[in-house]
Amino acid sequence: QVQLVQSGAEVKKPGASVKVSCKVSGYTLTELSMHWVRQAPGKGLEWMGGFDPEDGETIYAQKFQGRVTMTEDTSTDTAYMELSSLRSEDTAVYYCATTWGPVFPYGFDPWGQGTLVTVSS
Amino acid sequence: DIQMTQSPSSVSASVGDRVTITCRASQGISSWLAWYQQKPGKAPKLLIYAASSLQSGVPSRFSGSGSGTDFTLTISSLQPEDFATYYCQQANSFPQITFGQGTRLEIK
């Protein structure tokens, strides 16, 4: 069974960058399509980007183009999401989530537990 | 981009009620649709994928239907643990994903 465990909460100042990690267990990262979704306080789910196994490329939502970088370390089965030029509106819980097996590519299961990123001066 | 619109935004119901939530896509997405349940402080949980397939371990009182642009999630007999927020999500343009804005299911 796939499990995703994320890094802990972060507090950053406006203009800084944050890097959130997502450790995979139960399967190898190369067998999964990893994505990142965020949720601002009291708001809905917002897809940020994810890996397309068909062409080996990572696709980002237009809103985050130029500010987000998603990478993978296959030696440790850990995925990373780095968001730069942080502003207060980036305060949110950031989730990694994967689609694989019978639910690929319809939906995400499982999800990480979430990482709260707070942007405040 | 494909837009997903859920209705209603919130609904009040009682234990034992039958509840239906609707999701409409801005263009046809065949059956490339999933439904999630989210409780406060928790990650979303996948309920339905491919519009009508029940994810393993999800109670059979949950069901999904629809194709093209119009989809529904039905809970046949509400249980206390079902009060949560529900989201639809399209994967027709995978890996580009879009979520609906959510429907909050509250206790009447």
Side-chain angles (χ1 to χ4, degrees):
Chain A
Q1 196 73 316
V2 179
Q3 289 190 309
L4 307 178
V5 178
Q6 297 182 223
S7 49
E10 303 262 12
V11 179
K12 296 292 183 181
K13 293 192 182 302
S17 297
V18 68
K19 192 170 186 177
V20 179
S21 69
C22 175
K23 168 72 174 172
V24 175
S25 63
Y27 272 72
T28 62
L29 195 47
T30 55
E31 298 174 282
L32 310 174
S33 174
M34 189 66 73
H35 293 243
W36 293 85
V37 176
R38 78 175 187 180
Q39 187 170 37
K43 302 297 184 182
L45 302 170
E46 182 174 34
W47 178 79
M48 299 180 69
F51 182 74
D52 184 353
E54 189 160 322
D55 61 13
E57 298 291 324
T58 297
I59 304 298
Y60 303 121
Q62 190 169 7
K63 176 178 179 177
F64 301 102
Q65 289 272 3
R67 259 200 334 135
V68 69
T69 304
M70 296 172 187
T71 56
E72 297 182 349
D73 182 345
T74 55
S75 68
T76 61
D77 288 319
T78 303
Y80 298 91
M81 186 284 299
E82 184 169 21
L83 188 62
S84 62
S85 303
L86 290 168
R87 35 210 188 227
S88 58
E89 310 89 88
D90 294 317
T91 293
V93 175
Y94 290 77
Y95 294 100
C96 58
T98 188
T99 179
W100 67 288
V103 305
F104 176 86
Y106 297 98
F108 297 124
D109 187 17
W111 294 59
Q113 82 275 20
T115 296
L116 175 62
V117 175
T118 303
V119 183
S120 173
S121 54
Chain B
D1 287 8
I2 301 174
Q3 307 302 317
M4 305 300 292
T5 304
Q6 291 181 231
S7 61
S9 296
S10 65
V11 58
S12 295
S14 301
V15 172
D17 284 354
R18 179 184 181 92
V19 170
T20 298
I21 298 169
T22 297
C23 180
R24 175 164 289 175
S26 60
Q27 63 188 72
I29 60 169
S30 186
S31 296
W32 298 95
L33 186 98
W35 288 97
Y36 299 88
Q37 176 194 68
Q38 187 181 33
K39 296 182 179 180
K42 299 294 186 182
K45 173 186 175 182
L46 179 66
L47 300 175
I48 301 286
Y49 64 97
S52 60
S53 294
L54 194 67
Q55 174 63 330
S56 177
V58 174
S60 59
R61 63 181 180 272
F62 292 92
S63 64
S65 64
S67 67
T69 59
D70 295 311
F71 301 87
T72 58
L73 172 70
T74 299
I75 310 172
S76 60
S77 177
L78 273 175
Q79 298 302 300
E81 61 267 30
D82 299 337
F83 293 95
T85 300
Y86 293 84
Y87 294 93
C88 63
Q89 171 240 297
Q90 70 81 20
N92 182 73
S93 53
F94 183 89
Q96 299 266 7
I97 298 293
T98 316
F99 291 94
Q101 82 278 15
T103 295
R104 186 173 178 181
L105 176 53
E106 300 174 317
I107 301 173
K108 184 181 286 184

